[in-house]
Amino acid sequence: MDLIGGYLLVLLVLFTANIALILGNYEFNNVKLIMVSAIFFVISFIVIYASSYFNTQLVFLLNYFSYIFLLITVIVIASLIYYVKTGNFKIVLYAISITFLISVVLFASQATLDILTMLLYSLFVFMILFVVYQLTKLLRHAKREYPVIVGEYMSLFGLLMFIFALTYYSTITLDYKMFSSFLILTPTYQLIYVVIGMIAVLIVGVLINDTKGGNS
């Protein structure tokens, strides 16, 4: 995994969690939630796969990537303020989803990913969306209002995008040969597989519990 691929993974996880928190305003049963998660899985894979062919086409934008991420930071912060003040989540959902697609295209176009890694990244989107949405059911019983809780996450997310804006150009121009001596990622991938297995068990358990509850 190159550093841009790592950026893309972090971006997918955090963006998906943000979208799941906003979707917490809807009431989905587990079947609908799996369908929604599957839709995001398919969309993520298609976007990542298609973007891998845009490397040369987007080279002319490379010097402007940082400004684009800075613009995304402004959009996230503006969405945060709007959501907390009005509680209108639909416009915020659209804004975050659009910036999500733009960010994925930019990162994926410059990353070096094989088809298995693309599937793995998309699987993370599926699982994060499913798990975080389940957590929103608990967050709705918190003392603070739900928009405030989501807003706190969005503020951290906006800070991350600001860091991306400051560091992206430096990262894309790094000489990776300098880091080859300690970039041993096999244990990291093994850990990823363990996490995937644990989340898969959680999803199956939730579905079984939901089925039994429906039958009773």
Side-chain angles (χ1 to χ4, degrees):
M1 184 192 302
D2 60 90
L3 288 179
I4 300 302
Y7 268 31
L8 176 61
L9 178 59
V10 172
L11 189 76
L12 285 171
V13 170
L14 297 182
F15 248 126
T16 304
N18 201 162
I19 291 174
L21 289 172
I22 298 174
L23 288 176
N25 291 280
Y26 292 103
E27 292 186 4
F28 295 138
N29 58 33
N30 287 320
V31 175
K32 289 183 178 179
L33 178 57
I34 287 180
M35 292 177 61
V36 172
S37 301
I39 291 172
F40 274 88
F41 168 85
V42 173
I43 292 175
S44 299
F45 178 77
I46 292 175
V47 172
I48 294 173
Y49 183 79
S51 299
S52 63
Y53 292 96
F54 295 159
N55 185 287
T56 55
Q57 289 84 348
L58 294 179
V59 166
F60 74 98
L61 282 176
L62 191 58
N63 293 330
Y64 302 98
F65 274 21
S66 294
Y67 298 104
I68 296 174
F69 290 127
L70 184 59
L71 177 60
I72 291 175
T73 302
V74 173
I75 293 174
V76 171
I77 298 301
S79 299
L80 155 66
I81 296 173
Y82 177 81
Y83 180 57
V84 172
K85 286 188 175 182
T86 67
N88 187 336
F89 64 90
K90 292 184 179 180
I91 294 178
V92 175
L93 177 61
Y94 297 147
I96 295 299
S97 298
I98 292 173
T99 53
F100 169 73
L101 293 175
I102 294 173
S103 300
V104 170
V105 169
L106 294 181
F107 275 117
S109 68
Q110 303 304 314
T112 304
L113 305 175
D114 55 34
I115 191 71
L116 179 60
T117 304
M118 294 178 187
L119 285 170
L120 188 64
Y121 279 19
S122 302
L123 184 59
F124 264 106
V125 170
F126 176 92
M127 293 187 298
I128 294 298
L129 186 62
F130 187 94
V131 172
V132 174
Y133 181 86
Q134 297 289 351
L135 293 177
T136 62
K137 298 176 182 178
L138 297 176
L139 293 176
R140 288 201 158 276
H141 296 288
K143 293 182 179 180
R144 286 175 297 176
E145 294 183 357
Y146 186 71
V148 175
I149 297 175
V150 178
E152 290 176 348
Y153 177 86
M154 290 180 67
S155 64
L156 294 175
F157 182 58
L159 177 61
L160 175 70
M161 296 306 299
F162 181 68
I163 293 174
F164 280 173
L166 294 178
T167 62
Y168 184 83
Y169 184 76
S170 298
T171 302
I172 199 69
T173 55
L174 279 176
D175 182 3
Y176 293 106
K177 294 180 181 179
M178 297 171 55
F179 304 95
S180 59
S181 59
F182 62 87
L183 281 182
I184 304 173
L185 296 174
T186 302
T188 302
Y189 273 101
Q190 291 175 347
L191 178 61
I192 289 174
Y193 294 144
V194 171
V195 173
I196 290 175
M198 293 174 63
I199 296 178
V201 171
L202 174 62
I203 293 174
V204 172
V206 170
L207 286 175
I208 293 175
N209 182 67
D210 185 64
T211 303
K212 289 182 177 179
N215 292 335
S216 61

